[in-house]
């Protein structure tokens, strides 16, 4: 069998661990050849595909490394027009690929599904995202590392906020899901956590800060980039035409600072964590999870279960049809235990008093 491997969308700690596990499992099986595809779908979109054989040696020593040795792209859109989709299909045929293992987020899964429908693309999906927002995947690799990074940032910001008696706003990534803000906010002892799933009330945030001005004299606010004030719209950093991910979020922390400052005596400052959350070595948890996902993807390939994505549900690794994941998102459901716990221990979620 000839198997292609690509990483699509934003990078994420643990991608190399998946590449390593899927390649080693397939090579060990004895009858597989593995080709690494450069820069996600982009490597298949041009007349000359960009691929390189993946041998045992190429994937040794990369388990602990952040990023992806294959490169990635979150703007490549193989479905942008008919000729591009056909070019991808021609390249797959010319390379003799029986199946492509696509490691990516919901965008990559939607593209893989679209290519399967339009160009008969055989694919096995592996979910990746620091946002933890892929359906049927209760924990995606990369998330644990991102939570650890954001938590450390919150702790560091707390000490300076405390010294200067400031209100410190820390903005995390996460797009339309608040998992990263919620878990790092709890772990980093934030006083207020603002999530895309719950529109916030400015007056209630100001009231919490004013109360803390009396005693603790500083406040830590952790806000997910997709959060917004009641009645307001999303804060968009930029729009990218023809991209499968055309809306880039970012900057709500600054918007909140501008709205909050006039209501408070303390100085309000914002830190946007940005790409530090995506970089760096994966935690041991993510290395193990990514290795399990890569191993399971190889098993799906060998079993001929194309059109499936690796899943994690109730702690068990399995798979679902990619079709059921495409264009979906796993946000925090109201009533989730972490929301209830946060409220019960006095963390404000920005809800009206
Ligand atoms: O989906 C992962 C993610 O890191 C989001 O949390 C964030 O909104 C987006 O990617 C940022 O992408 P870019 O690297 O294009 O700024």
């Amino acid at each position: 069998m000839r198997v292609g491997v690509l990483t699509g969308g934003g990078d994420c700690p643990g991608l190399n661990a998946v590449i390593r596990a899927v390649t080693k499992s397939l090579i060990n099986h004895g009858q597989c050849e593995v080709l690494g595809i450069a820069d996600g779908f982009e490597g298949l979109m041009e007349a000359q595909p960009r691929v390189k054989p993946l041998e045992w040696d190429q994937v040794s020593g990369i388990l602990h490394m952040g990023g992806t040795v294959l490169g990635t792209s979150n703007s490549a859109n193989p479905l942008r027009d008919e000729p591009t989709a056909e070019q991808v299909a021609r390249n797959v045929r010319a390379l003799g690929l029986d199946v492509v293992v696509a490691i990516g987020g919901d965008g990559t899964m939607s593209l893989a599904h679209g290519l399967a429908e339009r160009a008969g693309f055989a694919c096995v999906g592996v979910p990746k995202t620091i946002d933890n927002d892929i359906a049927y995947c209760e924990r995606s690799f990369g998330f644990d590392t991102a939570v650890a990074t954001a938590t450390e940032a919150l702790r560091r910001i707390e000490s300076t906020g405390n010294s200067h008696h400031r209100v410190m706003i820390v903005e995390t990534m996460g797009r339309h899901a608040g998992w990263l803000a919620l878990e790092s906010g709890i772990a980093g002892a934030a006083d207020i956590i603002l999530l895309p799933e719950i529109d916030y009330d400015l007056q209630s945030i100001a009231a919490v800060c004013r109360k803390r001005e009396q005693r603790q004299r500083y406040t830590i606010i952790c806000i997910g980039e997709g959060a917004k004030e009641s009645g307001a719209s999303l804060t968009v950093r930029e729009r990218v035409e023809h991209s499968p991910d055309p809306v880039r979020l970012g900057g709500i922390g600054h918007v909140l600072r501008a709205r909050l400052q006039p209501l408070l005596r303390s100085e309000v400052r914002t830190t946007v964590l940005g790409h530090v959350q995506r970089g760096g070595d994966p935690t041991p948890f993510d290395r193990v999870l990514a290795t399990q996902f890569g191993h399971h993807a190889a098993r799906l390939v060998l079993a001929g279960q194309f059109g499936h994505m690796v899943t994690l549900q109730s702690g068990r690794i399995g798979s679902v049809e990619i079709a059921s994941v495409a264009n979906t998102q796993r946000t925090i459901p109201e009533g989730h235990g972490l929301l209830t716990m946060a409220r019960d221990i006095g963390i404000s979620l920005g809800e009206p008093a």
Side-chain angles (χ1 to χ4, degrees):
M1 245 182 166
R2 233 176 192 206
V3 183
V5 180
L6 65 79
T7 49
D11 69 344
C12 160
L15 285 171
N16 287 324
V18 180
I19 296 168
R20 170 180 175 269
V22 74
T23 305
K24 286 192 168 184
S25 305
L26 291 171
I27 292 176
N28 254 347
H29 178 259
Q31 274 151 32
C32 292
E33 209 184 321
V34 187
L35 286 189
I37 299 163
D39 304 331
F41 285 109
E42 205 178 286
L44 291 174
M45 283 163 56
E46 292 144 23
Q48 196 60 46
R50 287 183 282 124
V51 296
K52 58 179 178 194
L54 285 182
E55 313 278 0
W56 194 273
D57 284 353
Q58 267 100 45
V59 298
S60 287
I62 63 169
L63 169 68
H64 63 285
M65 287 164 48
T68 160
V69 292
L70 294 176
T72 188
S73 162
N74 62 359
S75 52
N77 186 354
L79 297 175
R80 70 175 176 219
D81 50 39
E82 209 50 47
T84 311
E86 279 164 16
Q87 181 66 62
V88 172
R90 260 198 309 279
N91 282 335
V92 169
R93 276 196 303 275
L95 291 166
L97 294 176
D98 296 292
V99 59
V100 172
V101 175
I103 312 164
D106 53 347
T108 302
M109 295 310 139
S110 305
L111 293 174
H113 175 59
L115 279 171
E117 286 201 316
R118 270 166 65 174
F121 184 75
C123 173
V124 163
V126 180
K128 72 85 222 178
T129 169
I130 64 160
D131 304 338
N132 206 29
D133 63 350
I134 303 184
Y136 304 103
C137 189
E138 63 201 12
R139 209 86 185 161
S140 47
F141 66 85
F143 177 64
D144 186 65
T145 309
V147 169
T149 305
T151 300
E152 194 197 332
L154 280 155
R155 295 298 297 157
R156 286 170 188 265
I157 281 176
E158 185 191 2
S159 55
T160 170
N162 193 350
S163 310
H164 289 268
H165 315 302
R166 285 175 175 161
V167 172
M168 303 296 272
I169 300 171
V170 176
E171 179 184 313
T172 69
M173 283 185 167
R175 291 194 306 175
H176 309 291
W179 299 104
L180 183 51
L182 181 60
E183 292 210 12
S184 54
I186 292 169
D191 308 296
I192 302 173
I193 301 177
L194 304 174
L195 307 167
E197 290 85 351
I198 304 174
D199 285 359
Y200 60 79
D201 176 65
L202 188 70
Q203 293 303 332
S204 111
I205 295 172
V208 174
C209 296
R210 276 196 295 265
K211 199 165 166 206
R212 288 184 59 88
E213 272 175 352
Q214 309 303 315
R215 288 185 59 197
Q216 296 88 349
R217 302 185 63 204
Y218 74 97
T219 302
I220 305 298
I221 304 178
C222 180
I223 183 168
E225 63 183 354
K228 58 183 176 63
E229 189 176 338
S230 299
S233 45
L234 276 175
T235 302
V236 174
R237 177 165 46 89
E238 60 177 344
R239 291 180 196 274
V240 188
E241 244 187 292
H242 304 305
S243 167
D245 193 7
V247 175
R248 306 260 159 89
L249 301 179
I252 182 65
H254 294 297
V255 172
L256 175 60
R257 193 195 82 81
R259 297 271 296 146
L260 199 54
Q261 185 61 85
L263 306 178
L264 301 175
R265 277 211 320 266
S266 322
E267 197 178 346
V268 184
R269 291 294 187 94
T270 292
T271 303
V272 179
L273 297 183
H275 291 91
V276 295
Q277 296 160 102
R278 285 228 306 255
D281 297 350
T283 58
F285 178 89
D286 279 339
R287 292 179 205 188
V288 174
L289 186 62
T291 301
Q292 286 177 288
F293 278 16
H295 170 245
H296 198 75
R299 291 176 72 156
L300 293 175
V301 165
L302 294 171
Q305 262 186 283
F306 303 161
H308 276 66
M309 184 194 82
V310 176
T311 56
L312 181 70
Q313 293 185 89
S314 308
R316 293 174 69 88
I317 305 231
S319 70
V320 287
E321 286 188 4
I322 293 178
S324 57
V325 181
N327 305 311
T328 61
Q329 236 159 24
R330 199 180 71 90
T331 52
I332 307 172
E334 183 42 51
H336 189 278
L338 286 181
L339 297 178
T340 312
M341 183 206 73
R343 290 180 186 114
D344 287 351
I345 65 167
I347 297 173
S348 163
L349 299 178
E351 294 153 303

